[in-house]
Amino acid sequence: MGAHVRVREGREGTTVVRRNRRAGVRGCDEDRRLGAAELGEDLGARATLVQFSSAFCAPCRATRRVLGEVAGMVPGVAHVEVDAEARLGLVRELGILSTPTVLVLDADGRVVRRAAGQPRKADVIAALGEAL
């Protein structure tokens, strides 16, 4: 995957900002817990992969496949897909800025990892390790 380059003009001159296209997986500082009431589906017994998607998001389809495969490989892990357009209140509350965005929840529904963009299977498995 190549890098996306953006150029900004400022008073001091031109600034080049490079952004990697790969999904960024990071920890989550907040102690936010989500449950079936917020997500519309039951959580997994051990962990839950929550995917925020939108109708015209091509990477969302590939993300759905990857998360479904990982959830199928690990007992007690569920994959829940949330339509970001239909759940704007939750999207705003959680600070979801793009789709796909994936949250990894532990058994208690606490957000332990978060990724924006299409994640690689290995990244999902590694992030899931923190929740188990």
Side-chain angles (χ1 to χ4, degrees), residues 51 53-54 56-66 99-100 117-119:
Q51 175 184 348
S53 299
S54 54
F56 299 104
C57 168
C60 293
R61 289 186 284 281
T63 299
R64 180 182 310 118
R65 182 185 49 79
V66 169
T99 57
Q118 182 181 334

Side-chain angles (χ1 to χ4, degrees), residues 65-84:
R65 182 185 49 79
V66 169
L67 297 182
E69 287 175 9
V70 173
M73 288 175 18
V74 184
V77 174
H79 171 221
V80 175
E81 189 168 1
V82 176
D83 180 354

Side-chain angles (χ1 to χ4, degrees), residues 15-69:
T15 304
V16 176
V17 179
R18 294 180 188 271
R19 300 180 78 187
N20 192 341
R21 284 183 154 173
R22 216 180 232 172
V25 179
R26 63 181 173 85
C28 199
D29 345 321
E30 56 187 283
D31 190 31
R32 177 71 166 108
R33 294 180 193 270
L34 297 171
E38 291 91 0
L39 300 175
E41 292 185 41
D42 290 333
L43 299 180
R46 297 177 64 202
T48 305
L49 302 169
V50 180
Q51 175 184 348
F52 285 87
S53 299
S54 54
F56 299 104
C57 168
C60 293
R61 289 186 284 281
T63 299
R64 180 182 310 118
R65 182 185 49 79
V66 169
L67 297 182
E69 287 175 9

